[in-house]
């Protein structure tokens, strides 16, 4: 029985000696081996008293293919399995006093392996076949590939799975029309490059890749980016997203919940607007949305702090002279309630209030004074120099301009009057 993972063996004597472990595991093959009197294990072997021979844990690495043995019978002090679903666990041995830290393992394989280790600790029979004390072959470590690049159809694996240890996978120019579900089992994946394919839709299960930091979907046929993805674990992990050269017309309001984003590429789409809560992407540093159909920018765009901004080739409109007035006097009960919920940050969801009310709250506009408004507002357009939000700005047109129109909202006539200088 074998387990492929990263292993770090930490001596518990190190802190007492004023030393620290290096904190990084190495690729290893863990094997459960049964020791016979001649050290030639065989499945189902028995000792002289008729019981099963003790089972050992053998840890083999590329530098030490013969491996290091650890006795298991009545030799385990504690198991640490809180993060087993993430492929991590620790086995604390009594003798020698070491912690065997496992990571980057297949979660189901890890559970099965630890179950067998527990049985070995108790001295019970293990139903799974046990291996022999033979050196591990170099080919075993090829399963530990962390990077795979495929750039043609003929190289795409059809009959075998991707190595589960992959952290970087690129499958470009492979003619994919949908995302291969085998990719979604790669729990260690940090970078996924699916550029230059024919993908039309993204499955929500991409959000299950809890370590995914970079997602490249450049040059596909995408028409949307789903709300489910925006509300998945990508909120905590995704740093870089490339959606350029697709057919996306708008991004959902919930897109701004991907608050770990630092790099966002949206060039060569059909965008007619940005999410109006764009300012919530406080970690965003690189934004490129050239050659779209943006008529204006949302008012919260002013809250961004970018290093690089490219909005060249958009169809920006000239600011309107007269504002659009949609004030309601007195405010409706819906408007007043929505303002109270948002101002006091009262949690809400479709399990509490009707779904359409959740949508209203999600799409509420923000006045320049910080108050919220649903259907009662004044809408006005102003221009903004893009250098106020970005250090480096690509010219928005061939005339050398760096200004773009911004749509602003006002909750009252007083707010509009106070801001009239800005709207001139």
């Amino acid at each position: 029985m074998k387990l492929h993972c990263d292993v770090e063996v930490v001596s518990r004597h190190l802190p007492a000696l004023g030393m620290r472990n290096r904190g990084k595991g190495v690729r290893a093959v863990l094997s459960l081996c049964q020791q016979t009197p001649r050290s030639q294990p065989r499945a189902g072997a028995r000792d002289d008293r008729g019981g099963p021979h003790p089972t050992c844990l053998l840890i083999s690495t590329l530098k030490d293919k013969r491996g290091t043995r650890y006795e298991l019978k009545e030799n385990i002090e504690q198991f640490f399995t809180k993060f087993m679903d993430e492929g991590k666990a620790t086995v604390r041995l009594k003798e020698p006093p070491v912690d065997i830290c496992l990571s980057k393992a297949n979660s189901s394989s890890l559970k099965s392996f630890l179950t067998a280790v527990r049985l070995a600790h108790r001295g019970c029979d293990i139903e799974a076949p046990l291996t022999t004390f033979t050196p591990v072959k170099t080919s075993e470590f090829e399963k530990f590939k962390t990077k795979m690049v495929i750039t043609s159809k003929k190289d795409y694996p059809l009959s075998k799975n991707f190595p589960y240890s992959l952290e970087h996978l690129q499958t470009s120019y492979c003619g994919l029309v949908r995302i291969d579900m085998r990719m979604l089992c790669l729990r260690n994946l940090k970078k996924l490059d699916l550029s230059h394919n024919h993908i039309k839709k993204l499955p929500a299960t991409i959000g299950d890749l809890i370590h995914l930091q970079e997602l490249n979907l450049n040059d596909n046929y995408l028409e949307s980016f789903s709300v489910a993805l925006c509300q998945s674990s990508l909120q905590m992990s995704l740093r870089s997203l490339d959606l350029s050269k697709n057919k996306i017309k708008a991004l959902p309001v919930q897109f701004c919940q991907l608050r770990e984003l630092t790099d966002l590429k949206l060039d060569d789409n059909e965008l007619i607007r940005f999410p109006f809560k764009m300012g919530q992407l406080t970690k965003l540093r690189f934004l490129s949305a050239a050659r779209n159909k943006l008529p204006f920018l949302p008012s919260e765009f002013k809250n961004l702090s970018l290093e690089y901004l490219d909005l060249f080739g958009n169809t920006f409109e000239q600011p309107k002279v007269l504002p659009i007035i949609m004030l309601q006097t007195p405010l409706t009960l819906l408007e007043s309630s929505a303002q109270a919920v948002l101002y006091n940050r009262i949690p809400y969801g479709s399990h509490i209030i009707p779904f359409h009310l959740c949508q209203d709250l999600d799409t509420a506009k923000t006045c320049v004074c910080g108050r919220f408004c649903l259907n009662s507002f004044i809408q006005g357009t102003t221009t903004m120099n893009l250098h106020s939000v970005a250090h480096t700005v690509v010219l928005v047109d061939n005339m050398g301009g760096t200004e773009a129109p911004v749509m602003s909202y006002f909750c009252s006539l007083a707010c509009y009057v106070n801001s009239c200088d800005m709207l001139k």
Side-chain angles (χ1 to χ4, degrees):
M1 188 174 191
K2 295 183 178 182
L3 176 70
H4 299 78
C5 63
D6 277 15
V7 176
E8 182 185 8
V9 180
V10 181
S11 172
R12 298 199 295 278
H13 286 325
L14 288 181
L17 298 173
M19 302 172 64
R20 297 175 61 187
N21 63 293
R22 62 178 185 164
K24 186 178 181 181
V26 296
R27 300 294 185 183
V29 177
L30 277 65
S31 309
L32 287 181
C33 306
Q34 198 169 57
Q35 190 165 2
T36 63
R38 294 184 179 181
S39 297
Q40 294 294 330
R42 60 184 184 276
R46 299 267 168 177
D47 61 18
D48 295 336
R49 293 170 294 179
H53 289 299
T55 302
C56 297
L57 175 65
L58 182 68
I59 300 179
S60 307
T61 64
L62 194 57
K63 291 184 178 180
D64 179 19
K65 296 187 181 69
R66 290 186 175 277
T68 303
R69 302 182 193 181
Y70 296 94
E71 296 291 336
L72 292 178
K73 187 175 181 180
E74 298 180 359
N75 192 37
I76 297 178
E77 185 175 312
Q78 192 173 356
F79 288 92
F80 300 90
T81 57
K82 182 177 180 180
F83 300 103
M84 190 152 58
D85 288 336
E86 298 179 18
K88 301 176 183 177
T90 297
V91 179
R92 174 166 289 179
L93 299 183
K94 298 176 182 177
E95 191 62 38
V98 297
D99 290 349
I100 302 175
C101 305
L102 314 178
S103 60
K104 297 183 180 180
N106 179 280
S107 58
S108 59
S109 300
L110 178 60
K111 291 176 184 177
S112 300
F113 191 83
L114 291 183
T115 298
V117 171
R118 283 191 175 92
L119 292 173
H121 166 61
R122 297 168 187 161
C124 302
D125 280 324
I126 300 174
E127 296 182 1
L130 303 178
T131 56
T132 59
F133 288 103
T134 54
V136 175
K137 297 179 181 179
T138 303
S139 59
E140 287 277 352
F141 294 94
E142 292 179 358
K143 299 176 182 178
F144 286 128
K145 289 182 68 173
T146 59
K147 182 176 181 180
M148 176 180 284
V149 177
I150 304 169
T151 55
S152 66
K153 287 183 179 180
K154 64 181 179 65
D155 296 328
Y156 193 82
L158 296 175
S159 58
K160 61 180 182 179
N161 289 328
F162 297 101
Y164 71 87
S165 57
L166 283 180
E167 296 179 3
H168 178 184
L169 174 62
Q170 177 180 347
T171 55
S172 302
Y173 301 101
C174 295
L176 299 177
V177 296
R178 64 179 65 89
I179 293 182
D180 193 329
M181 299 306 288
R182 292 177 297 171
M183 298 177 185
L184 305 180
C185 298
L186 305 175
R187 298 302 183 187
N188 299 317
L189 209 58
K190 295 181 180 179
K191 183 175 181 179
L192 179 59
D193 187 342
L194 298 167
S195 58
H196 308 291
N197 283 292
H198 305 140
I199 298 170
K200 296 181 179 180
K201 190 175 181 180
L202 300 176
T205 43
I206 288 183
D208 296 335
L209 299 175
I210 59 175
H211 299 294
L212 190 64
Q213 297 178 5
E214 298 182 37
L215 179 58
N216 187 348
L217 294 161
N218 171 44
D219 192 17
N220 277 281
Y221 295 159
L222 295 173
E223 296 182 356
S224 63
F225 193 86
S226 72
V227 173
L229 285 177
C230 300
Q231 297 177 333
S232 69
S233 62
L234 296 181
Q235 289 182 359
M236 304 300 295
S237 64
L238 195 63
R239 306 287 191 274
S240 176
L241 177 61
D242 189 346
L243 295 172
S244 52
K245 293 187 179 180
N246 280 280
K247 299 181 179 181
I248 299 173
K249 294 183 178 179
L251 295 170
V253 176
Q254 293 82 359
F255 184 85
C256 300
Q257 295 177 15
L258 300 173
R259 297 187 184 182
E260 297 299 317
L261 275 179
T262 59
D263 295 72
L264 177 59
K265 297 180 181 179
L266 299 166
D267 304 313
D268 300 294
N269 275 279
E270 300 174 11
L271 284 174
I272 57 174
R273 66 174 183 271
F274 276 137
F276 60 85
K277 293 188 178 181
M278 197 80 175
Q280 294 181 355
L281 299 176
T282 55
K283 294 187 178 180
L284 195 64
R285 296 295 176 263
F286 182 102
L287 174 60
S288 182
R291 295 172 297 280
N292 279 279
K293 299 178 181 179
L294 296 170
F296 54 80
L297 302 177
S299 58
E300 287 198 20
F301 199 86
K302 300 174 183 178
N303 298 333
L304 295 178
S305 180
L306 305 171
E307 295 176 7
Y308 179 91
L309 175 61
D310 183 0
L311 297 176
F312 177 80
N314 280 281
T315 55
F316 288 128
E317 298 176 353
Q318 290 297 318
K320 293 182 174 62
V321 177
L322 296 177
I324 298 174
I325 301 176
M326 299 184 66
L327 292 176
Q328 299 172 351
T329 306
L331 293 180
T332 64
L333 180 59
L334 174 63
E335 189 82 20
S336 299
S337 301
Q339 289 182 3
V341 169
L342 294 170
Y343 180 77
N344 294 290
R345 299 184 179 181
I346 299 174
Y348 62 88
S350 56
H351 61 292
I352 302 174
I353 59 177
F355 179 71
H356 71 277
L357 293 180
C358 293
Q359 289 182 311
D360 288 341
L361 292 170
D362 287 341
T363 56
K365 301 154 186 70
T366 305
C367 176
V368 293
C369 71
R371 294 192 183 95
F372 299 94
C373 38
L374 237 60
N375 301 312
S376 177
F377 56 84
I378 298 176
Q379 177 182 301
T381 312
T382 183
T383 56
M384 177 182 68
N385 192 315
L386 298 177
H387 279 293
S388 64
V389 296
H391 182 268
T392 302
V393 176
V394 176
L395 303 179
V396 297
D397 53 39
N398 293 321
M399 304 300 292
T402 59
E403 292 189 341
V406 176
M407 188 67 71
S408 299
Y409 294 91
F410 307 91
C411 65
S412 66
L413 190 58
C415 284
Y416 174 71
V417 172
N418 291 335
S419 304
C420 61
D421 291 339
M422 181 184 69
L423 290 173
K424 287 181 180 179

